[in-house]
Amino acid sequence: MNSISVSFSKMLFFIKKDKMLLVSCLAPLLAGSFFKFVIPIIDLKVIELSSLSVFLAPFYGIFDLFFILLTPILFCFVSAMVVLEETDENISKYLFITPLTKKGYLISRIGIPTIIALVVNVVLLPFFRLTDFSFSQIIVFSIVGALQGLISSLLIVTLSTNKLEGMAITKLTSIALVFIMVPFFIESKIEYILSPFPSFWMGKAFCEKNLMYIFIALGLSLVWIFILMKRYLKKII
């Protein structure tokens, strides 16, 4: 456990030196503040200046779900960039044969950031939310959101060989944010084309107020993680 904490502290030191990664860690606070304070103002101004009775209010849930996904995706993006940097410099291979081992390395680089993202969501969502979330809903949605961040991280380190490729893969993983919106706008069966993606079920769980869908998202997330972890472990052998 001590080797894992030392390894994680070294990652934090690396992040501190890289301004882009540091800003990425702070971005959830900026995004949450924008959603909480600016979006309602925009909503009111548009209603005042138009003949609309409602504008953004029916879609406030999208902003809450965005926040739930954004924090883990950004935190895990940062950790994935560190992993790719260490892979480029062959540092990770050295760490594998130290007391840290591969398991400890993965925990310190991917596991701990995922847990931190979960905690951050649970703490900040009650302050930044625009819709009603019970504490149990915050916990469940935050767990699934954290797993989406883990999936994003595994996709980046599995499919990329360097940081440049990692940036490109990160843009692809952000599509998960789009999938969340689909249940808000499409009510036909065609929406189930996206059923393999956990974020789709997160949106559906919120829209239909049915937590059964969030457990589908949880199960799918675990399947994705299992498949990607197997591929990543084969890659680093």
Side-chain angles (χ1 to χ4, degrees):
M1 183 59 71
N2 184 56
S3 59
I4 292 174
S5 61
V6 170
S7 176
F8 179 69
S9 65
K10 289 182 178 178
M11 184 178 76
L12 293 179
F13 180 74
F14 181 89
I15 293 171
K16 184 179 178 181
K17 293 193 301 179
D18 191 313
K19 301 304 181 184
M20 182 192 75
L21 298 183
L22 185 59
V23 169
S24 296
C25 290
L26 298 176
L29 283 173
L30 299 176
S33 298
F34 179 82
F35 294 159
K36 178 66 175 180
F37 303 109
V38 180
I39 292 298
I41 293 174
I42 294 174
D43 190 24
L44 289 174
K45 289 297 180 181
V46 171
I47 291 174
E48 288 176 3
L49 298 173
S50 67
S51 58
L52 298 174
S53 58
V54 292
F55 181 52
L56 290 176
F59 308 109
Y60 277 0
I62 293 177
F63 297 105
D64 286 344
L65 293 175
F66 272 6
F67 183 79
I68 291 171
L69 275 187
L70 188 62
T71 302
I73 286 177
L74 286 173
F75 278 27
C76 291
F77 156 74
V78 169
S79 65
M81 290 299 103
V82 174
V83 170
L84 290 176
E85 179 75 20
E86 292 176 337
T87 301
D88 286 344
E89 298 179 1
N90 290 320
I91 295 174
S92 56
K93 290 183 178 180
Y94 166 75
L95 293 174
F96 291 163
I97 60 175
T98 66
L100 181 64
T101 71
K102 289 182 182 178
K103 180 180 178 181
Y105 179 80
L106 291 175
I107 292 173
S108 66
R109 293 295 184 271
I110 299 178
I112 294 178
T114 301
I115 295 172
I116 291 175
L118 168 61
V119 173
V120 169
N121 262 343
V122 171
V123 171
L124 294 184
L125 185 58
F127 294 100
F128 291 138
R129 63 183 175 83
L130 295 173
T131 58
D132 291 329
F133 267 94
S134 67
F135 184 71
S136 60
Q137 288 174 324
I138 289 175
I139 295 293
V140 175
F141 274 88
S142 295
I143 289 173
V144 177
L147 293 180
Q148 303 320 294
L150 178 55
I151 290 170
S152 175
S153 183
L154 288 172
L155 278 170
I156 294 169
V157 298
T158 300
L159 302 179
S160 309
T161 57
N162 54 58
K163 290 179 71 175
L164 185 61
E165 291 181 3
M167 294 289 288
I169 298 298
T170 300
K171 293 178 181 179
L172 290 176
T173 61
S174 63
I175 294 176
L177 295 173
V178 178
F179 294 161
I180 270 184
M181 297 191 296
V182 171
F184 286 83
F185 299 102
I186 300 177
E187 296 181 359
S188 65
K189 291 184 179 180
I190 195 173
E191 66 178 353
Y192 289 103
I193 293 175
L194 299 176
S195 59
F197 300 98
S199 57
F200 163 76
W201 293 103
M202 290 180 70
K204 198 160 182 65
F206 184 90
C207 282
E208 300 189 13
K209 307 301 180 185
N210 188 344
L211 279 183
M212 182 60 66
Y213 291 132
I214 203 69
F215 289 109
I216 295 176
L218 178 61
L220 283 172
S221 298
L222 295 176
V223 171
W224 276 84
I225 291 168
F226 176 77
I227 294 171
L228 290 170
M229 184 62 75
K230 285 189 67 175
R231 289 197 60 180
Y232 179 65
L233 291 175
K234 286 183 180 179
K235 178 181 177 180
I236 63 177
I237 289 178

Coordinates of all heavy atoms in Angstrom, one line a residue, residues 14 21 37 45 56 64 74 76 86 89 91 102 121 134 146 149 168 182 187 189 216 225 231:
F14 N 3.8 15.1 -11.2 CA 3.9 15.2 -12.6 C 2.8 16.1 -13.1 O 3.0 16.9 -14.0 CB 3.8 13.8 -13.2 CG 3.9 13.8 -14.7 CD1 5.1 13.7 -15.4 CD2 2.8 13.9 -15.5 CE1 5.2 13.7 -16.8 CE2 2.9 13.9 -16.9 CZ 4.1 13.8 -17.5
L21 N -2.7 19.5 -17.8 CA -3.3 18.5 -17.0 C -3.8 19.1 -15.7 O -4.9 18.7 -15.2 CB -2.2 17.4 -16.7 CG -1.7 16.6 -17.9 CD1 -0.7 15.5 -17.4 CD2 -2.8 16.0 -18.7
F37 N -24.9 28.7 -12.4 CA -25.2 30.1 -12.3 C -25.4 30.8 -13.6 O -26.2 31.7 -13.7 CB -24.0 30.8 -11.5 CG -23.7 30.3 -10.2 CD1 -22.6 29.5 -9.9 CD2 -24.6 30.4 -9.1 CE1 -22.3 29.0 -8.6 CE2 -24.4 29.9 -7.9 CZ -23.2 29.2 -7.6
K45 N -33.1 35.1 -19.6 CA -33.0 36.1 -20.5 C -33.7 35.8 -21.9 O -34.3 36.7 -22.5 CB -31.5 36.4 -20.8 CG -30.8 37.1 -19.6 CD -31.4 38.5 -19.3 CE -30.7 39.1 -18.1 NZ -31.3 40.5 -17.8
L56 N -34.7 26.4 -21.6 CA -33.8 25.3 -21.2 C -34.2 24.5 -20.0 O -33.7 23.4 -19.8 CB -32.4 26.0 -20.8 CG -31.6 26.6 -22.0 CD1 -30.4 27.3 -21.5 CD2 -31.3 25.5 -23.0
D64 N -26.9 18.4 -15.6 CA -26.5 17.6 -14.4 C -25.8 16.3 -14.8 O -24.7 15.9 -14.2 CB -27.7 17.2 -13.6 CG -28.2 18.4 -12.8 OD1 -27.5 19.4 -12.7 OD2 -29.4 18.4 -12.3
L74 N -12.5 13.8 -17.2 CA -11.4 14.7 -17.2 C -10.3 14.1 -16.2 O -9.1 14.1 -16.6 CB -11.8 16.1 -16.7 CG -12.5 16.9 -17.7 CD1 -13.1 18.2 -17.1 CD2 -11.6 17.2 -18.9
C76 N -9.8 11.0 -15.4 CA -9.2 9.8 -16.0 C -8.4 10.1 -17.3 O -7.5 9.4 -17.6 CB -10.3 8.8 -16.2 SG -11.0 8.1 -14.7
E86 N 4.6 7.9 -19.4 CA 5.5 6.9 -18.7 C 5.8 5.8 -19.7 O 6.9 5.2 -19.6 CB 4.9 6.5 -17.4 CG 4.9 7.6 -16.4 CD 4.2 7.2 -15.1 OE1 3.4 6.2 -15.1 OE2 4.5 7.8 -14.0
E89 N 8.5 6.8 -22.2 CA 9.8 6.9 -21.6 C 10.2 5.6 -20.9 O 11.3 5.6 -20.3 CB 9.8 8.1 -20.6 CG 9.5 9.4 -21.2 CD 9.5 10.6 -20.2 OE1 9.7 10.3 -19.0 OE2 9.3 11.7 -20.5
I91 N 9.2 4.2 -18.4 CA 9.2 4.3 -17.0 C 8.3 3.2 -16.4 O 8.6 2.6 -15.4 CB 8.7 5.7 -16.5 CG1 9.8 6.7 -16.9 CG2 8.5 5.7 -15.0 CD1 9.3 8.1 -16.6
K102 N 2.6 -4.5 -11.5 CA 1.6 -4.0 -12.5 C 0.3 -3.7 -11.8 O -0.3 -2.7 -12.1 CB 1.3 -5.1 -13.5 CG 2.5 -5.3 -14.5 CD 2.1 -6.3 -15.6 CE 3.3 -6.6 -16.5 NZ 2.9 -7.6 -17.5
N121 N -17.7 14.0 -7.4 CA -19.0 14.1 -7.8 C -20.0 14.1 -6.7 O -21.0 14.9 -6.7 CB -19.4 12.9 -8.8 CG -19.2 13.3 -10.3 OD1 -19.2 14.5 -10.6 ND2 -19.2 12.4 -11.1
S134 N -32.0 12.8 -5.2 CA -31.9 12.3 -3.8 C -30.4 11.9 -3.6 O -29.7 11.7 -4.6 CB -32.8 11.2 -3.6 OG -32.4 10.0 -4.4
A146 N -18.4 7.5 -12.7 CA -16.9 7.2 -12.4 C -16.5 6.0 -13.3 O -15.3 6.0 -13.8 CB -16.7 6.9 -10.9
G149 N -15.6 7.2 -16.7 CA -14.3 7.8 -16.7 C -13.2 6.7 -16.8 O -12.2 6.8 -17.5
A168 N -6.4 12.3 -29.4 CA -7.4 12.0 -30.5 C -8.5 11.0 -29.9 O -9.7 11.2 -30.1 CB -6.8 11.4 -31.7
V182 N -29.6 11.6 -26.0 CA -30.5 10.9 -26.9 C -31.9 10.7 -26.4 O -32.9 11.0 -27.0 CB -29.9 9.6 -27.5 CG1 -30.9 8.8 -28.3 CG2 -28.7 10.0 -28.4
E187 N -37.8 9.5 -28.9 CA -38.7 8.6 -28.1 C -39.0 7.3 -28.9 O -39.7 6.5 -28.4 CB -40.0 9.3 -27.7 CG -39.7 10.5 -26.8 CD -41.0 11.2 -26.4 OE1 -42.1 10.8 -26.9 OE2 -40.9 12.2 -25.7
K189 N -38.1 3.7 -31.1 CA -37.3 2.5 -30.7 C -35.9 2.6 -31.4 O -35.0 1.9 -31.0 CB -38.0 1.2 -31.2 CG -39.2 0.9 -30.4 CD -39.8 -0.4 -30.8 CE -41.0 -0.8 -30.0 NZ -41.6 -2.1 -30.4
I216 N -28.7 -1.2 -15.5 CA -28.2 -1.7 -16.8 C -26.9 -1.0 -17.2 O -26.0 -1.7 -17.7 CB -29.3 -1.5 -17.9 CG1 -30.6 -2.3 -17.6 CG2 -28.8 -1.8 -19.3 CD1 -31.7 -2.0 -18.5
I225 N -15.3 -2.6 -19.0 CA -14.1 -2.5 -18.3 C -13.3 -3.8 -18.3 O -12.1 -3.9 -18.5 CB -14.4 -2.1 -16.8 CG1 -14.8 -0.7 -16.7 CG2 -13.1 -2.3 -15.9 CD1 -15.4 -0.3 -15.4
R231 N -7.5 -6.4 -22.8 CA -6.7 -5.9 -23.9 C -5.5 -5.1 -23.5 O -4.4 -5.2 -24.1 CB -7.6 -5.0 -24.8 CG -8.6 -5.8 -25.6 CD -9.2 -5.0 -26.8 NE -8.1 -4.7 -27.7 CZ -8.3 -4.0 -28.8 NH1 -9.5 -3.6 -29.2 NH2 -7.3 -3.7 -29.6

